[in-house]
Amino acid sequence: MAEFDVDLFVIGGGSGGVRAARIAAGHGARVMLAEEYRMGGTCVIRGCVPKKLLVYASHIHHEIEDAAGFGWTIPSATFHWPTLIANKDKEIARLEAAYTANVEKSGAGIVKTRAVFEDPHTLRLATGEAVRAKHVLIATGGAPNHGLAIPGIEHVISSNEVFHLTALPRRIVIQGGGYIALEFACIFAGFGSDVTLIYRGDNILRGFDDDVRAHVRAEMEKEGISIITGNTVDKVEKHGKEFTTHLSNGSSIASDQVMFAIGRHPNVANLGFEKAGVAINPNNGGIAVDSFSRTSVPHIYAIGDVTHRLNLTPVAIREGHAFADSVFGKRPVEVDHVNVPTAVFSQPEIGTVGLTEAQESEQLSKVDI
Ligand SMILES: Cc1cc2nc3c(=O)[nH]c(=O)nc-3n(C[C@H](O)[C@H](O)[C@H](O)COP(=O)(O)OP(=O)(O)OC[C@H]3O[C@@H](n4cnc5c(N)ncnc54)[C@H](O)[C@@H]3O)c2cc1C
């Protein structure tokens, strides 16, 4: 009997895991990938892709408003949320099938089940089967933070649920000041919802250039989005179909939905890491890795959001590709996490790369702006 069933076992069929599995299989490795939910992971199923579809849909409202100025007469337009969601779901199902087909075409096998470590080389599938792997890649991604267990937290939705609302909320309260909170605030405002954004800091988009933060905030406010900073949500009450959100300043807001987008955490719980000896990075709660994505155990690697380095799809894909080339392609590749561009699909959109003006002034003696 062979010592190992596979050369590589990938836990997680998201952006990073899929790329790593395909490239490793292309290098001739025997690969098995486990996915417990849907192939494609966060980006395809409940992240970048469906979000971008909603962004496009919300832009159309503005274009119809502008149309008259360009000579178009458009009979009064109506919007049907359930049609948008049904069509979005169709597109996601098509992409999920394409991801599955591409992995299978590469020669890697897929098991649609949860996998956890039993020992450093053995994965236990939820089906009961055990698989012995020479190398293991952890690509389990991340999940939304719920924050403190405030009264009424059970009424609050996250980005996971927002893609499945059965009706467009006429009024929505969103807590958060990062890109996901802003993008959804602008999406709902584009559909005509009454949007209130709550953020605990002094201004939205912490970590971005101050002039960008001020400009985006001013433009969002012009669109009618109410932005309340320096406050947190203390309590959410439900009365029938309506919610009352209580803020730390003592005020309250009535709405039809309450969403929190207050950050994400790496998916490291209940994976059997203690049995495998995989160490967690105490600074960020993700799996500790070196620049080759190697964990504290030499044959176990981790990539993407579970390492909590830069939580972006192209980064997870690059890390997955570099891992596969390094381990199975005889071509060691380190991933450079410096100067990674990032986009925010707020309205207006933002694209940035490199240091902010404040960071430059701290780090360099002379700066031309
Ligand atoms: C609302 C939203 C919008 C976003 N927009 C953008 C954007 O515009 N641009 C961008 O670059 N990034 C965006 N992101 C981030 C992006 O989605 C992630 O960075 C990316 O998906 C990370 O890929 P990954 O492979 O690390 O993990 P994931 O894509 O999260 O995949 C992990 C997979 O592992 C599976 N899994 C977990 N545990 C197990 C287990 N034990 N067994 C089997 N399977 C398991 C999960 O079901 C999941 O499918 C967005 C995220 C969100 C939430």
Side-chain angles (χ1 to χ4, degrees):
M1 196 180 90
E3 192 189 354
F4 296 113
D5 302 309
V6 292
D7 300 314
L8 173 64
F9 192 98
V10 180
I11 315 178
S15 308
V18 161
R19 174 62 70 95
R22 287 175 47 206
I23 301 301
H27 287 310
R30 294 171 303 153
V31 181
M32 183 181 284
L33 178 149
E35 171 52 56
E36 66 175 343
Y37 180 53
R38 294 181 66 180
M39 284 296 290
T42 303
C43 181
V44 173
I45 307 297
R46 46 194 180 186
C48 339
V49 175
K51 169 195 82 186
K52 202 63 200 296
L53 294 174
L54 299 195
V55 170
Y56 285 138
S58 74
H59 278 179
I60 291 171
H61 190 180
H62 298 288
E63 283 165 17
I64 292 170
E65 276 175 357
D66 288 348
F70 290 96
W72 290 90
T73 305
I74 297 179
S76 120
T78 55
F79 171 68
H80 192 236
W81 173 265
T83 302
L84 170 63
I85 295 302
N87 288 340
K88 180 266 295 174
D89 287 342
K90 254 191 243 163
E91 177 59 9
I92 300 308
R94 185 189 71 77
L95 286 172
E96 183 183 6
Y99 268 73
T100 303
N102 285 341
V103 170
E104 287 172 345
K105 247 188 265 162
S106 75
I110 299 173
V111 283
K112 287 298 301 291
T113 177
R114 183 169 174 82
V116 299
F117 282 98
E118 187 141 297
D119 66 44
H121 281 287
T122 310
L123 285 307
R124 178 66 64 182
L125 310 188
T127 51
E129 198 188 335
V131 181
R132 296 268 302 153
K134 189 168 180 197
H135 294 91
V136 182
L137 179 67
I138 305 168
T140 50
N145 287 341
H146 296 293
L148 299 174
I150 56 163
I153 189 73
E154 67 277 12
H155 305 312
V156 174
I157 60 166
S158 72
S159 61
N160 282 353
E161 292 78 38
V162 76
F163 293 112
H164 302 288
L165 294 179
T166 51
L168 174 68
R170 200 166 52 78
R171 301 160 303 170
I172 184 164
V173 171
I174 300 176
Q175 176 165 237
Y179 79 94
I180 294 176
L182 263 61
E183 290 172 341
F184 278 98
C186 295
I187 286 168
F188 283 114
F191 290 133
S193 303
D194 193 345
V195 180
T196 307
L197 188 80
I198 314 291
Y199 180 55
R200 66 179 175 177
D202 62 343
N203 203 1
I204 54 175
L205 285 175
R206 188 165 61 90
F208 284 76
D209 269 301
D210 287 336
D211 54 351
V212 172
R213 300 169 76 186
H215 179 69
V216 172
R217 179 176 184 160
E219 291 299 309
M220 286 174 66
E221 286 174 334
K222 257 193 239 163
E223 277 300 303
I225 298 170
S226 164
I227 301 180
I228 303 175
T229 47
N231 267 278
T232 51
V233 173
D234 281 354
K235 182 163 82 169
V236 178
E237 285 173 325
K238 187 167 193 249
H239 326 272
K241 290 187 171 168
E242 202 179 272
F243 300 93
T244 305
T245 300
H246 296 270
L247 303 189
S248 49
N249 66 4
S251 68
S252 61
I253 306 159
S255 71
D256 309 302
Q257 282 295 341
V258 183
M259 173 178 171
F260 283 7
I262 52 174
R264 293 175 58 79
H265 60 267
N267 267 336
V268 294
N270 308 319
L271 284 161
F273 289 168
E274 59 298 340
K275 297 178 186 163
V278 172
I280 299 295
N281 179 344
N283 298 322
N284 67 13
I287 297 177
V289 285
D290 67 11
S291 58
F292 288 96
S293 299
R294 231 177 340 221
T295 69
S296 51
V297 184
H299 70 276
I300 302 177
Y301 290 71
I303 52 155
D305 285 11
V306 74
T307 63
H308 221 36
R309 288 177 280 185
L310 268 179
N311 297 341
L312 294 170
T313 283
V315 175
I317 291 173
R318 187 74 204 104
E319 291 167 357
H321 202 129
F323 151 78
D325 280 346
S326 301
V327 177
F328 299 102
K330 300 191 180 71
R331 193 166 72 87
V333 186
E334 277 176 286
V335 176
D336 182 358
H337 290 93
V338 177
N339 292 335
V340 174
T342 182
V344 179
F345 297 101
S346 49
Q347 301 175 34
E349 292 165 349
I350 308 166
T352 67
V353 64
L355 301 175
T356 63
E357 211 176 309
Q359 289 165 336
E360 281 167 358
S361 304
E362 267 169 31
Q363 296 177 23
L364 307 168
S365 56
K366 183 173 179 298
V367 179
D368 281 337
I369 309 288

